Amino acid sequence: MNHDDEKSALEEAAINIFIELYNFNRQDALKVVEKQECPDYILKNKKEDLIGIEVTHLFYDAEEAKMLLGRSSKELHGLEDSTNYIETLNKLLKQKEKKIDKYDAIYPIALLIRNASPVYGMSDFLKYKSAIYKPEKYSHIWFVSKDGNNNEWLLKDLLAD
């Protein structure tokens, strides 16, 4: 699988997790209208309102990404620190904030972040929620993550209180 195919497969998995969680908890069901480049997906709700979704994945670092994607011969990752992981998330948020300015969209754009770490879960991020950077150019920053021994995905809007 080449990089673009792999990226597309990861984005598709993330958007499917997001839509399932979002629709399970709300009356205003979302569905994919189009897959594109900027933003990655266009979704539509029951009222026919459109929303753009930029999809990204959060890894602790490049080595963890390689390990999780099967591109590393290492079996163990070095010591990980949750405060460093929050810094990694904040760098990702600032990078994505710059990208939104390039979009030419007439609908709101949300950011979807899928936490790929097997070490850190939703509660680790919520514990440090006040330290998470909040780019206000996005209508929502949807964060999907598993948590602890619970193998189910959870959804949280990092912009909501």
Side-chain angles (χ1 to χ4, degrees):
M1 182 180 289
N2 73 32
H3 175 75
D4 287 343
D5 291 344
E6 183 177 63
K7 183 177 181 279
S8 184
L10 285 168
E11 289 173 353
E12 186 174 337
I15 201 79
N16 289 337
I17 292 165
F18 166 71
I19 288 173
E20 184 177 322
L21 289 170
Y22 185 95
N23 290 349
F24 181 77
N25 291 304
R26 292 169 181 77
Q27 298 295 314
D28 192 26
L30 293 173
K31 67 179 184 178
V32 173
V33 174
E34 185 180 351
K35 165 90 174 107
Q36 57 177 32
E37 263 317 297
C38 295
D40 297 309
Y41 285 89
I42 306 297
L43 306 181
K44 180 168 60 173
N45 64 18
K46 286 181 180 175
K47 292 185 250 164
E48 304 288 310
D49 297 326
L50 297 177
I51 183 168
I53 304 278
E54 176 66 25
V55 180
T56 193
H57 285 75
L58 177 65
F59 295 94
Y60 185 81
D61 60 16
E63 187 57 39
E64 181 185 67
K66 288 178 191 171
M67 289 172 68
L68 293 173
L69 297 172
R71 285 199 223 107
S72 174
S73 57
K74 291 185 179 180
E75 291 185 22
L76 293 172
H77 190 280
L79 190 62
E80 294 184 10
D81 178 330
S82 58
T83 54
N84 287 351
Y85 205 35
I86 297 297
E87 287 174 26
T88 302
L89 172 60
N90 285 339
K91 283 181 199 158
L92 180 66
L93 288 164
K94 288 173 184 175
Q95 174 192 343
K96 291 296 178 179
E97 183 178 40
K98 289 180 186 145
K99 191 174 181 182
I100 194 173
D101 291 331
K102 298 175 185 156
Y103 298 161
D104 186 25
I106 55 169
Y107 40 77
I109 307 283
L111 180 62
L112 170 59
I113 303 169
R114 179 182 176 192
N115 175 30
S117 175
V119 177
Y120 296 102
M122 184 66 83
S123 59
D124 296 305
F125 291 93
L126 296 180
K127 185 170 30 174
Y128 295 104
K129 192 168 184 244
S130 64
I132 296 174
Y133 179 71
K134 295 171 180 61
E136 295 176 7
K137 294 178 181 180
Y138 288 100
S139 61
H140 299 277
I141 298 176
W142 296 111
F143 189 75
V144 293
S145 179
K146 293 187 176 183
D147 196 43
N149 294 330
N150 176 356
N151 209 26
E152 293 181 26
W153 289 101
L154 303 170
L155 175 65
K156 181 79 179 153
D157 183 354
L158 295 179
L159 291 181
D161 288 330

